[in-house]
Amino acid sequence: MSGSNRPVTVWRLLLTLLCLAIVLVVCDPIVGLLARRFYPEPPYILLDLPSFYGLDRFWQMTDAGQKPIVFTGSSMVFHGVSPHVFDSSIATLTGKSVVSVDVGVTGQTSDIARDLVQNIFIPKGASAIFYTTEMRAYAARITLASYQRSPLGYIMQFEPGLRKTLGLWLLQHSALARYHNNIHDLLTGARPIEYGVGYYNVLDDRGHASAWDVQDATLSMPIPNDFTPLKIEAPYQAALTEIATACQQSNTPCIVVNMPLHRTLYQVIPTTELAQFRTMILESLGKGKAAFWDFNTDSCIAWLGDKSFLDRDHLNEPGAKKFTYLLAVLYAHQFMGQPIPAESPVDCAYRSS
Amino acid sequence: MFTSLGFWIFALAVLLLHNTTRGRLQNAILLAASYLLYVYFDWQFLLLLIAATTLTFVAGRNLAPTMRYRRLFFYAGILFDLGVLVFFKYAGFFTASISAALNGAGTTAQPYALNILLPLGLSFYIFRLLSYLFDVYSGRLAPTASWIDVALYVAFFPQIAAGPIERATHFLPRLQVTRRLDQAQFVTGLTYIFVGLFYKIAIADPLAPMTERTFSNISQLMPLDALAAIIWFSIRLYADFAGYSALAIGFSTWFGLPAMENFRQPYFSQSITEFWTRWHISLSTWFRDYLFYPLTRFLLKRLGRRFALAINAAGLLITMLVTGLWHGSSLTFSVWGLLHGVYLIWERLLARPPTASPGRWQHRITVVFNILVTQCLVAIAWVFFRAPTVQDALLFFQKLLAPNYALDSLWLRSVATPLIVLILFDVLLARAVRVTAFWDLHLIWRVALLAVLVVALFILGSSSSEAFVYVRF
């Protein structure tokens, strides 16, 4: 170190800040490189670790000039929709090429979906958005606090403007921003580090989690009480309306999909609540803003069969293939003008007009 | 308030206005801005602030040695200022205590309780007013002819909420000249502000939720939770208040009215006596100059030198008790103050003349040992400072000493990281001696150090903004 006795000037301040900016810009990719090489977790930018892969893939696609079709929802979409199957089905059905990606977020509620749709998917140019919803998505869950302390959840709390735009840009491009929570949690002991556990091990390059087995044991467990009694809170219902409005205003085709449940769970939900849920969705979406396809019906669940489910609320890989094909057929019909193949059981689903 | 965007916009606008005017108009602008901010935060007590200022100003005008009733005005001023403090800060406590005592004695009378709001910055501005009266009465300061100057001294917005308790002898003379923000002042102020933000955002605020959670749930604490709670609270309180003080100094510097240093790495103290020369310096020196010295001088004059040790001990105990009471009327603050008083007396009794100089390593080990012992004593006292009641504090120690310690890495990291960050940051500040020494470093070191601090601030910084702890005093 060498000292100097020159008076402190603004020039010295500006020079220091300029050099600081250069150092941070240079060091940031190095941090990313080291983290990818030596750190076991992906960036913790959303509610959970797996959601990073789909979101990052989406950003890569849009940066490469592609306009992907996005599937978003909870862990049900991780398992239940295979973008590769969707793309190949569309190609088979229409002869046209599409590219899709699965941006599921474990425990996602409608407000998180709204944040993603309004601030990332639509501005970045998604060509269509499937929001795979469920009956748990319209009330506060314990995941809300975790979401708000995640970098993306934190940025989403900003008012629209420079700060929010800059935050989102950093989240996409800066390793320090992406690994913020990982480093923070590592240093402060806020949570244990996940050394390759969890289902992000089985995610493919489009964010889809393949699970081949049927976990019969889980079917004898108590019914998850967050499906019934149905709880709908006003801010979460409003979030769905905001999704639909954003889609309409940007001319982005959006489809709200009610995911199918395993027969044993479906049967304990009162039919009045199923009807109430469907009505709520239709009212929230309004006329013509977004399509609504409901696969949580007697005939769709029967068509899928028990062997299509990993557990009560997640499809397994065979189930995902059947279900994704169904989505592709309906999408090709409604948005690409293709006739529905004769053998397709698409009529099992309720579809809004 | 220093961390909000609104405050920054306000402060920069006032700074611009301040820097484009001259002479006494600058003081008037600063006073108007200070009152405006006070109204924003606590509109209902602005009149009280103005009344206390005006009465103290009038008293001060009559304290010149030639004035006939100077002693009367002096005591009237002191009584009024202390009366305001006692009424707002302790009346509720006294009435509640009397009611509790009546109930305890079996009376069925309905307890009469006062629910009095505490005006913002009351303890701090009353002590400024008292400082003014003491200094004028003792002849250290000439009575000020300008009400605006006295009012600005009391209400200067970077310092009113939680100090530092600047002395009138330092502050008022600076109001007599036109102040211009030069480059060195700007950078110095900015450096203090960065230091303050680092203390506050990177160290203090992340610990707030954990500290609040543990101290509001003492009966459920495991021993390691209790240990962590003491460490977290010790770090948080210091970083929060040192951060506030650095921010106050930074903003004050921009207006050409720099405040005194309020902290000098107190957790590096090797004794409680040294601790009180490094912790909340503006308050500890206030009590030293206006209470301890006059009190012990008075007693020595009355009782004679042969009681010097007892007088010294009594002076320490009374001063520390009043220091505790200054923080609040709760019994916990009194116990905290008395505990420090006992520590100080104990140190005086044990004080021995230095022996032959020890070897280098022996010296280092002694230093570390002394620091550890001192900080353990300080931390024990912090439990009384933070616990809701004395019973809760005693229960806290019960929980702490229960034989059930099982270390895990998450616990270790939750405690070690803030501790290490604080120690490293304070080592840097201690080695620098003055904050602006940063700018004397070579560019490479300057940038490297700043990069580490900025990244630490970014990674560890709390996303939620917590209120400054000392504002509630």
Side-chain angles (χ1 to χ4, degrees), chain A residues 1-13 15-17 19-20 23-24 148-149 154 176-177 179-181 183-193, chain B residues 183-188 190 206 210 409-411 413-415 417-418 436 438-443 445-447 450-452 454-455 458-464:
Chain A
M1 276 196 282
S2 73
S4 99
N5 291 317
R6 282 174 298 162
V8 187
T9 57
V10 171
W11 161 244
R12 207 189 293 192
L13 169 73
L15 180 67
T16 307
L17 292 179
C19 293
L20 172 70
V23 166
L24 291 177
Q148 285 176 343
R149 75 169 279 274
Y154 175 64
L176 272 170
Y179 281 98
H180 173 280
N181 269 28
I183 303 171
H184 175 273
D185 295 350
L186 173 73
L187 291 175
T188 61
R191 65 177 173 86
I193 299 162
Chain B
Q183 292 194 27
Q185 263 182 331
F186 175 74
V187 178
T188 302
L190 200 62
M210 293 122 85
S409 74
L410 293 182
W411 182 90
R413 279 184 271 157
S414 72
V415 169
T417 298
T436 47
F438 169 79
W439 298 101
D440 296 334
L441 293 173
H442 190 281
L443 179 67
W445 288 107
R446 211 157 65 217
V447 171
L450 196 56
V452 170
V454 165
V455 170
F458 176 68
I459 296 293
L460 298 172
S462 173
S463 55
S464 61

Coordinates of all heavy atoms in Angstrom, one line a residue, chain A residues 1-13 15-17 19-20 23-24 148-149 154 176-177 179-181 183-193, chain B residues 183-188 190 206 210 409-411 413-415 417-418 436 438-443 445-447 450-452 454-455 458-464:
Chain A
M1 N 0.8 -1.2 0.0 CA 0.0 0.0 0.0 C 0.9 1.3 0.0 O 1.9 1.3 0.7 CB -0.9 0.0 1.2 CG -2.1 -0.8 1.1 SD -3.4 -0.3 2.3 CE -2.7 -1.2 3.7
S2 N 0.5 2.2 -0.8 CA 1.2 3.4 -0.7 C 0.2 4.6 -0.4 O -0.9 4.6 -1.0 CB 1.9 3.7 -2.0 OG 1.0 4.1 -3.0
G3 N 0.6 5.4 0.5 CA -0.3 6.5 0.8 C -0.1 7.7 0.0 O 0.9 7.9 -0.7
S4 N -1.1 8.6 0.0 CA -0.9 9.9 -0.6 C -1.6 10.9 0.2 O -2.5 10.6 0.9 CB -1.5 9.9 -2.0 OG -2.7 10.4 -2.0
N5 N -1.1 12.1 0.2 CA -1.6 13.2 1.1 C -2.4 14.2 0.3 O -2.7 15.3 0.8 CB -0.5 13.8 1.9 CG 0.0 12.9 2.9 OD1 -0.7 12.2 3.6 ND2 1.3 12.8 3.0
R6 N -2.7 13.8 -1.0 CA -3.5 14.7 -1.8 C -4.9 14.9 -1.1 O -5.4 14.0 -0.6 CB -3.7 14.2 -3.2 CG -2.4 14.4 -4.1 CD -2.6 13.7 -5.4 NE -2.8 12.3 -5.2 CZ -3.4 11.5 -6.1 NH1 -3.8 12.0 -7.2 NH2 -3.5 10.2 -5.9
P7 N -5.5 16.1 -1.2 CA -6.8 16.2 -0.7 C -7.8 15.3 -1.4 O -7.7 15.1 -2.6 CB -7.1 17.7 -0.9 CG -6.2 18.1 -2.0 CD -5.0 17.3 -1.9
V8 N -8.8 14.9 -0.7 CA -9.8 14.0 -1.3 C -10.7 14.8 -2.2 O -11.2 15.9 -1.8 CB -10.7 13.4 -0.2 CG1 -11.6 12.4 -0.8 CG2 -9.9 12.8 0.9
T9 N -10.7 14.4 -3.5 CA -11.5 15.2 -4.4 C -12.6 14.3 -5.0 O -12.6 13.1 -4.9 CB -10.6 15.6 -5.6 OG1 -10.0 14.5 -6.1 CG2 -9.5 16.6 -5.1
V10 N -13.5 14.9 -5.6 CA -14.6 14.2 -6.3 C -14.0 13.4 -7.5 O -14.5 12.3 -7.7 CB -15.7 15.2 -6.8 CG1 -16.7 14.5 -7.7 CG2 -16.4 15.8 -5.6
W11 N -13.0 13.9 -8.1 CA -12.3 13.1 -9.1 C -11.8 11.8 -8.6 O -12.0 10.8 -9.3 CB -11.2 14.0 -9.7 CG -10.2 13.1 -10.5 CD1 -8.9 13.0 -10.2 CD2 -10.5 12.4 -11.7 NE1 -8.3 12.1 -11.2 CE2 -9.3 11.7 -12.1 CE3 -11.6 12.1 -12.5 CZ2 -9.1 10.9 -13.2 CZ3 -11.5 11.3 -13.6 CH2 -10.3 10.7 -13.9
R12 N -11.2 11.8 -7.4 CA -10.7 10.6 -6.9 C -11.9 9.6 -6.5 O -11.8 8.4 -6.7 CB -9.9 10.9 -5.6 CG -8.9 9.8 -5.3 CD -8.2 9.9 -4.0 NE -7.4 11.1 -3.9 CZ -6.5 11.2 -2.9 NH1 -6.4 10.3 -1.9 NH2 -5.8 12.3 -2.8
L13 N -13.0 10.2 -6.1 CA -14.2 9.4 -5.8 C -14.7 8.7 -7.1 O -15.0 7.5 -7.2 CB -15.3 10.3 -5.2 CG -16.7 9.7 -5.1 CD1 -16.8 8.7 -4.0 CD2 -17.7 10.8 -4.9
L15 N -13.1 8.2 -10.0 CA -12.1 7.3 -10.5 C -12.3 5.9 -9.7 O -12.3 4.9 -10.3 CB -10.7 7.8 -10.3 CG -9.6 6.9 -10.8 CD1 -9.6 6.8 -12.3 CD2 -8.2 7.4 -10.4
T16 N -12.5 6.0 -8.4 CA -12.6 4.8 -7.6 C -13.9 4.1 -8.0 O -13.9 2.9 -8.2 CB -12.7 5.2 -6.1 OG1 -11.5 6.0 -5.8 CG2 -12.7 4.0 -5.2
L17 N -15.0 4.8 -8.2 CA -16.3 4.2 -8.5 C -16.2 3.6 -9.9 O -16.8 2.5 -10.2 CB -17.4 5.2 -8.5 CG -17.7 5.7 -7.0 CD1 -18.9 6.7 -7.1 CD2 -18.1 4.6 -6.1
C19 N -13.5 2.4 -11.4 CA -12.7 1.2 -11.3 C -13.5 0.1 -10.6 O -13.4 -1.1 -10.9 CB -11.4 1.4 -10.5 SG -10.3 2.5 -11.4
L20 N -14.3 0.5 -9.6 CA -15.1 -0.5 -8.9 C -16.1 -1.2 -9.9 O -16.2 -2.4 -9.9 CB -15.9 0.2 -7.8 CG -16.9 -0.6 -7.1 CD1 -16.3 -1.7 -6.2 CD2 -17.8 0.2 -6.2
V23 N -14.2 -3.6 -12.0 CA -13.9 -4.8 -11.2 C -15.1 -5.7 -11.1 O -15.0 -6.9 -11.3 CB -13.3 -4.4 -9.8 CG1 -13.2 -5.6 -8.9 CG2 -11.9 -3.8 -10.0
L24 N -16.2 -5.1 -10.7 CA -17.4 -5.9 -10.5 C -17.9 -6.6 -11.9 O -18.2 -7.8 -11.9 CB -18.6 -5.1 -10.0 CG -18.4 -4.6 -8.5 CD1 -19.5 -3.7 -8.1 CD2 -18.2 -5.7 -7.6
Q148 N -41.1 -14.2 -1.6 CA -40.7 -12.8 -1.4 C -39.3 -12.6 -1.0 O -38.7 -11.5 -1.3 CB -41.7 -12.1 -0.4 CG -43.1 -11.9 -1.0 CD -44.0 -11.4 0.0 OE1 -43.8 -11.4 1.2 NE2 -45.2 -10.9 -0.4
R149 N -38.6 -13.5 -0.4 CA -37.2 -13.4 -0.1 C -36.3 -13.9 -1.2 O -35.1 -13.8 -1.2 CB -36.9 -13.9 1.3 CG -36.8 -15.4 1.4 CD -36.1 -15.8 2.7 NE -34.7 -15.7 2.7 CZ -33.9 -16.7 2.2 NH1 -34.3 -17.8 1.8 NH2 -32.5 -16.5 2.3
Y154 N -38.4 -10.7 -4.7 CA -38.0 -9.4 -4.2 C -38.1 -8.3 -5.2 O -38.7 -7.3 -5.0 CB -36.6 -9.5 -3.6 CG -36.0 -8.1 -3.1 CD1 -36.6 -7.5 -2.0 CD2 -35.0 -7.5 -3.8 CE1 -36.1 -6.3 -1.6 CE2 -34.5 -6.3 -3.3 CZ -35.0 -5.7 -2.2 OH -34.6 -4.5 -1.8
L176 N -23.6 -12.8 -9.7 CA -23.8 -12.4 -8.3 C -25.3 -12.2 -7.9 O -25.7 -12.6 -6.8 CB -23.1 -11.1 -8.0 CG -21.6 -11.2 -7.7 CD1 -21.0 -9.8 -7.7 CD2 -21.4 -11.8 -6.3
A177 N -26.1 -11.7 -8.8 CA -27.5 -11.6 -8.6 C -28.1 -12.9 -8.6 O -29.0 -13.2 -7.7 CB -28.1 -10.7 -9.6
Y179 N -26.8 -15.9 -7.9 CA -26.4 -16.7 -6.8 C -26.5 -16.0 -5.5 O -26.0 -16.5 -4.5 CB -24.9 -17.2 -7.0 CG -24.8 -18.4 -8.0 CD1 -24.4 -18.1 -9.3 CD2 -25.0 -19.7 -7.6 CE1 -24.3 -19.2 -10.2 CE2 -24.9 -20.7 -8.4 CZ -24.6 -20.5 -9.8 OH -24.5 -21.5 -10.6
H180 N -27.2 -14.9 -5.5 CA -27.3 -14.1 -4.2 C -27.8 -14.9 -3.1 O -27.2 -15.0 -2.0 CB -28.2 -12.9 -4.5 CG -28.6 -12.2 -3.2 ND1 -29.5 -12.6 -2.3 CD2 -28.1 -11.0 -2.7 CE1 -29.6 -11.7 -1.3 NE2 -28.7 -10.8 -1.5
N181 N -28.9 -15.6 -3.3 CA -29.5 -16.4 -2.1 C -28.6 -17.6 -1.8 O -28.6 -18.0 -0.6 CB -30.9 -16.8 -2.5 CG -31.9 -15.8 -2.1 OD1 -31.6 -14.6 -2.0 ND2 -33.1 -16.2 -1.8
I183 N -25.4 -17.9 -1.9 CA -24.2 -17.4 -1.1 C -24.7 -17.0 0.2 O -24.1 -17.3 1.3 CB -23.4 -16.3 -1.9 CG1 -23.0 -16.8 -3.3 CG2 -22.2 -15.9 -1.1 CD1 -22.4 -15.7 -4.1
H184 N -25.8 -16.2 0.2 CA -26.3 -15.7 1.5 C -26.6 -16.9 2.4 O -26.3 -16.9 3.6 CB -27.6 -14.9 1.2 CG -28.3 -14.4 2.5 ND1 -29.2 -15.2 3.1 CD2 -28.1 -13.3 3.2 CE1 -29.6 -14.6 4.2 NE2 -29.0 -13.4 4.3
D185 N -27.4 -17.9 1.9 CA -27.8 -19.0 2.7 C -26.6 -19.8 3.2 O -26.6 -20.4 4.3 CB -28.8 -19.9 2.0 CG -30.1 -19.1 1.7 OD1 -30.2 -18.0 2.3 OD2 -30.9 -19.6 1.0
L186 N -25.6 -19.9 2.3 CA -24.4 -20.7 2.6 C -23.7 -20.0 3.8 O -23.2 -20.6 4.8 CB -23.4 -20.7 1.4 CG -22.1 -21.3 1.7 CD1 -22.2 -22.8 1.8 CD2 -21.1 -21.0 0.5
L187 N -23.6 -18.7 3.7 CA -22.8 -17.9 4.8 C -23.6 -17.8 6.1 O -23.0 -17.9 7.2 CB -22.5 -16.5 4.3 CG -21.5 -16.4 3.1 CD1 -21.4 -15.0 2.7 CD2 -20.1 -16.9 3.6
T188 N -24.9 -17.7 6.0 CA -25.6 -17.4 7.2 C -26.3 -18.6 7.8 O -27.0 -18.5 8.9 CB -26.7 -16.3 7.0 OG1 -27.6 -16.8 6.0 CG2 -26.1 -15.0 6.5
G189 N -26.2 -19.8 7.1 CA -26.9 -21.0 7.7 C -28.4 -20.9 7.6 O -29.0 -21.5 8.4
A190 N -28.9 -20.1 6.7 CA -30.4 -20.0 6.6 C -31.1 -21.3 6.2 O -32.2 -21.5 6.5 CB -30.7 -18.9 5.6
R191 N -30.4 -22.1 5.5 CA -30.9 -23.4 5.1 C -29.8 -24.4 4.8 O -28.7 -23.9 4.4 CB -31.9 -23.3 3.9 CG -31.2 -22.9 2.7 CD -32.1 -22.8 1.5 NE -31.3 -22.2 0.4 CZ -30.5 -22.9 -0.4 NH1 -30.4 -24.2 -0.3 NH2 -29.8 -22.3 -1.4
P192 N -30.0 -25.7 4.8 CA -28.9 -26.6 4.4 C -28.7 -26.5 2.9 O -29.6 -26.3 2.2 CB -29.4 -28.0 4.8 CG -30.7 -27.8 5.5 CD -31.2 -26.4 5.3
I193 N -27.5 -26.7 2.5 CA -27.2 -26.8 1.1 C -27.7 -28.1 0.5 O -27.6 -29.1 1.1 CB -25.7 -26.6 0.8 CG1 -25.2 -25.3 1.4 CG2 -25.3 -26.7 -0.7 CD1 -23.7 -25.3 1.6
Chain B
Q183 N -15.3 19.8 -2.0 CA -15.1 18.5 -2.5 C -14.8 17.5 -1.4 O -15.3 16.4 -1.3 CB -14.1 18.4 -3.6 CG -14.5 19.1 -4.8 CD -13.6 18.8 -6.0 OE1 -13.1 17.7 -6.1 NE2 -13.5 19.7 -7.0
A184 N -13.8 18.0 -0.5 CA -13.3 17.1 0.6 C -14.5 16.8 1.5 O -14.6 15.6 2.0 CB -12.2 17.8 1.3
Q185 N -15.3 17.8 1.8 CA -16.4 17.6 2.7 C -17.4 16.6 2.1 O -18.0 15.8 2.8 CB -17.1 18.9 3.0 CG -16.7 19.6 4.2 CD -17.5 20.9 4.4 OE1 -17.9 21.5 3.4 NE2 -17.7 21.3 5.6
F186 N -17.7 16.8 0.8 CA -18.6 15.9 0.2 C -18.2 14.5 0.2 O -19.0 13.6 0.6 CB -18.8 16.4 -1.3 CG -19.7 15.5 -2.1 CD1 -21.1 15.5 -1.9 CD2 -19.2 14.5 -3.0 CE1 -21.9 14.6 -2.6 CE2 -20.0 13.7 -3.7 CZ -21.3 13.7 -3.5
V187 N -16.9 14.2 -0.1 CA -16.4 12.9 -0.1 C -16.4 12.3 1.3 O -16.7 11.1 1.6 CB -15.0 12.8 -0.8 CG1 -14.5 11.4 -0.7 CG2 -15.2 13.3 -2.2
T188 N -15.9 13.2 2.3 CA -15.9 12.7 3.7 C -17.3 12.3 4.2 O -17.5 11.2 4.8 CB -15.4 13.8 4.6 OG1 -14.1 14.2 4.1 CG2 -15.3 13.4 6.0
L190 N -19.8 11.4 2.4 CA -20.2 10.2 1.6 C -19.6 9.0 2.3 O -20.2 7.9 2.3 CB -19.9 10.4 0.2 CG -20.6 9.5 -0.8 CD1 -22.1 9.8 -0.8 CD2 -20.0 9.6 -2.2
P206 N -30.1 -7.6 9.1 CA -30.4 -9.0 8.9 C -30.6 -9.8 10.2 O -31.2 -10.8 10.2 CB -29.1 -9.5 8.2 CG -28.5 -8.3 7.5 CD -28.9 -7.2 8.4
M210 N -34.3 -12.3 13.7 CA -33.9 -13.4 14.6 C -33.9 -12.9 16.1 O -34.3 -13.6 17.0 CB -32.5 -13.9 14.2 CG -32.5 -14.6 12.9 SD -31.4 -13.8 11.8 CE -29.9 -14.6 12.2
S409 N -23.8 -27.1 12.0 CA -23.1 -26.1 11.2 C -24.0 -24.9 10.8 O -23.5 -23.8 10.7 CB -22.7 -26.8 9.9 OG -23.7 -27.0 9.0
L410 N -25.3 -25.1 10.8 CA -26.2 -24.0 10.4 C -26.2 -23.0 11.6 O -26.1 -21.8 11.3 CB -27.7 -24.5 10.2 CG -28.0 -25.4 9.0 CD1 -29.4 -25.7 8.9 CD2 -27.5 -24.7 7.7
W411 N -26.2 -23.5 12.8 CA -26.2 -22.5 13.9 C -24.8 -21.8 13.9 O -24.8 -20.6 14.1 CB -26.3 -23.3 15.2 CG -26.3 -22.5 16.5 CD1 -27.4 -21.9 17.1 CD2 -25.1 -22.0 17.2 NE1 -27.0 -21.1 18.1 CE2 -25.6 -21.2 18.3 CE3 -23.8 -22.2 17.1 CZ2 -24.8 -20.6 19.2 CZ3 -22.9 -21.6 18.0 CH2 -23.4 -20.8 19.0
R413 N -22.9 -21.1 11.5 CA -22.8 -20.1 10.4 C -23.6 -18.9 10.7 O -23.3 -17.8 10.4 CB -23.2 -20.7 9.1 CG -22.0 -21.5 8.4 CD -22.5 -22.0 7.1 NE -23.1 -23.3 7.2 CZ -24.0 -23.8 6.3 NH1 -24.3 -23.1 5.2 NH2 -24.5 -25.0 6.4
S414 N -24.8 -19.2 11.3 CA -25.7 -18.0 11.6 C -25.1 -17.1 12.7 O -25.4 -15.9 12.7 CB -27.0 -18.5 12.2 OG -26.9 -19.1 13.5
V415 N -24.2 -17.6 13.5 CA -23.6 -16.8 14.5 C -22.2 -16.2 14.0 O -21.9 -15.1 14.2 CB -23.4 -17.6 15.8 CG1 -22.5 -16.9 16.8 CG2 -24.7 -17.9 16.4
T417 N -20.9 -15.7 10.9 CA -20.8 -14.8 9.8 C -21.0 -13.3 10.2 O -20.2 -12.5 10.0 CB -21.8 -15.2 8.7 OG1 -21.5 -16.5 8.2 CG2 -21.8 -14.2 7.5
P418 N -22.1 -13.0 11.0 CA -22.2 -11.6 11.4 C -21.1 -11.2 12.3 O -20.6 -10.0 12.2 CB -23.6 -11.5 12.1 CG -24.0 -12.9 12.3 CD -23.3 -13.8 11.3
T436 N -11.8 8.7 6.8 CA -11.3 9.2 5.5 C -9.9 8.7 5.1 O -9.5 9.0 4.0 CB -11.3 10.7 5.5 OG1 -10.6 11.1 6.7 CG2 -12.7 11.3 5.5
F438 N -9.4 5.9 4.2 CA -9.6 5.1 3.1 C -9.1 5.7 1.8 O -8.6 5.1 0.9 CB -11.2 4.8 3.0 CG -11.6 4.2 1.7 CD1 -11.5 2.8 1.5 CD2 -12.2 4.9 0.7 CE1 -11.9 2.2 0.4 CE2 -12.6 4.3 -0.5 CZ -12.4 3.0 -0.6
W439 N -9.3 7.0 1.7 CA -8.9 7.7 0.5 C -7.4 7.9 0.3 O -7.0 8.4 -0.8 CB -9.7 9.1 0.4 CG -11.1 8.9 0.3 CD1 -12.0 9.0 1.4 CD2 -11.9 8.4 -0.8 NE1 -13.3 8.6 1.0 CE2 -13.2 8.3 -0.3 CE3 -11.6 8.0 -2.1 CZ2 -14.2 7.8 -1.2 CZ3 -12.6 7.6 -2.9 CH2 -13.9 7.5 -2.5
D440 N -6.7 7.6 1.4 CA -5.2 7.7 1.2 C -4.6 6.3 0.7 O -3.5 6.3 0.4 CB -4.6 7.9 2.6 CG -5.0 9.3 3.1 OD1 -5.3 10.2 2.3 OD2 -5.0 9.5 4.4
L441 N -5.5 5.3 0.7 CA -5.0 4.0 0.1 C -4.7 4.2 -1.4 O -5.2 5.0 -2.1 CB -6.0 2.9 0.3 CG -6.4 2.5 1.7 CD1 -7.6 1.6 1.7 CD2 -5.2 1.8 2.4
H442 N -3.8 3.3 -1.8 CA -3.5 3.2 -3.2 C -4.8 2.8 -4.0 O -5.6 2.0 -3.4 CB -2.4 2.2 -3.5 CG -1.9 2.2 -4.9 ND1 -2.6 1.6 -5.9 CD2 -0.8 2.8 -5.4 CE1 -1.9 1.8 -7.1 NE2 -0.8 2.5 -6.8
L443 N -4.9 3.3 -5.2 CA -6.2 3.0 -5.9 C -6.5 1.5 -6.0 O -7.7 1.2 -5.8 CB -6.0 3.6 -7.4 CG -7.2 3.3 -8.3 CD1 -8.4 4.2 -7.8 CD2 -6.9 3.7 -9.7
W445 N -5.8 -0.9 -3.8 CA -6.3 -1.4 -2.5 C -7.7 -0.8 -2.3 O -8.6 -1.4 -1.7 CB -5.4 -1.0 -1.4 CG -4.1 -1.8 -1.5 CD1 -2.9 -1.4 -1.8 CD2 -4.0 -3.2 -1.1 NE1 -2.0 -2.5 -1.8 CE2 -2.7 -3.6 -1.3 CE3 -4.9 -4.2 -0.7 CZ2 -2.3 -4.9 -1.1 CZ3 -4.5 -5.4 -0.4 CH2 -3.2 -5.8 -0.7
R446 N -7.9 0.5 -2.7 CA -9.1 1.2 -2.4 C -10.3 0.5 -3.2 O -11.3 0.2 -2.6 CB -9.0 2.6 -3.0 CG -9.8 3.6 -2.2 CD -9.2 5.0 -2.4 NE -9.3 5.5 -3.8 CZ -8.3 6.2 -4.3 NH1 -7.2 6.5 -3.7 NH2 -8.5 6.7 -5.6
V447 N -10.0 0.2 -4.4 CA -11.0 -0.5 -5.2 C -11.3 -1.9 -4.7 O -12.5 -2.3 -4.6 CB -10.6 -0.5 -6.7 CG1 -11.6 -1.3 -7.5 CG2 -10.6 0.9 -7.3
L450 N -13.3 -1.7 -1.5 CA -14.6 -1.3 -1.8 C -15.4 -2.4 -2.4 O -16.6 -2.6 -2.1 CB -14.6 0.0 -2.6 CG -15.9 0.8 -2.7 CD1 -16.4 1.2 -1.3 CD2 -15.7 2.1 -3.6
A451 N -14.8 -3.1 -3.3 CA -15.5 -4.2 -4.0 C -16.0 -5.3 -3.0 O -17.1 -5.7 -3.1 CB -14.6 -4.8 -5.1
V452 N -15.1 -5.6 -2.1 CA -15.4 -6.6 -1.1 C -16.6 -6.1 -0.3 O -17.6 -6.8 0.0 CB -14.2 -6.9 -0.2 CG1 -14.6 -7.8 1.0 CG2 -13.1 -7.6 -1.0
V454 N -18.9 -3.8 -1.0 CA -20.1 -3.7 -1.8 C -20.7 -5.1 -2.0 O -21.9 -5.2 -1.9 CB -19.8 -3.0 -3.2 CG1 -21.0 -3.2 -4.2 CG2 -19.5 -1.5 -3.0
V455 N -19.9 -6.1 -2.3 CA -20.4 -7.4 -2.5 C -21.0 -7.9 -1.2 O -22.1 -8.5 -1.2 CB -19.3 -8.4 -3.1 CG1 -19.8 -9.8 -3.1 CG2 -19.0 -7.9 -4.5
F458 N -24.3 -6.4 -0.7 CA -25.2 -6.9 -1.6 C -25.7 -8.3 -1.2 O -26.9 -8.6 -1.2 CB -24.6 -7.0 -3.0 CG -25.5 -7.6 -4.0 CD1 -26.7 -7.0 -4.5 CD2 -25.2 -8.9 -4.6 CE1 -27.5 -7.6 -5.4 CE2 -26.0 -9.5 -5.5 CZ -27.2 -8.8 -5.9
I459 N -24.8 -9.1 -0.8 CA -25.1 -10.5 -0.4 C -25.8 -10.6 1.0 O -26.8 -11.2 1.2 CB -23.9 -11.4 -0.4 CG1 -23.3 -11.5 -1.8 CG2 -24.2 -12.8 0.2 CD1 -24.1 -12.2 -2.8
L460 N -25.2 -9.9 1.9 CA -25.7 -10.0 3.3 C -26.8 -9.0 3.7 O -27.6 -9.2 4.6 CB -24.6 -9.8 4.3 CG -23.4 -10.9 4.2 CD1 -22.3 -10.4 5.1 CD2 -23.9 -12.2 4.6
G461 N -26.9 -8.0 2.9 CA -27.9 -6.9 3.2 C -29.3 -7.4 3.3 O -29.7 -8.3 2.5
S462 N -30.0 -6.8 4.2 CA -31.4 -7.2 4.4 C -32.3 -6.5 3.4 O -32.0 -5.3 3.1 CB -31.8 -6.7 5.8 OG -33.2 -6.9 6.0
S463 N -33.3 -7.2 2.9 CA -34.2 -6.6 1.9 C -35.2 -5.7 2.6 O -35.9 -4.9 2.0 CB -34.8 -7.7 1.1 OG -35.5 -8.6 1.9
S464 N -35.4 -6.0 3.9 CA -36.4 -5.2 4.6 C -35.7 -4.1 5.5 O -34.7 -4.4 6.1 CB -37.3 -6.1 5.5 OG -36.5 -6.7 6.5

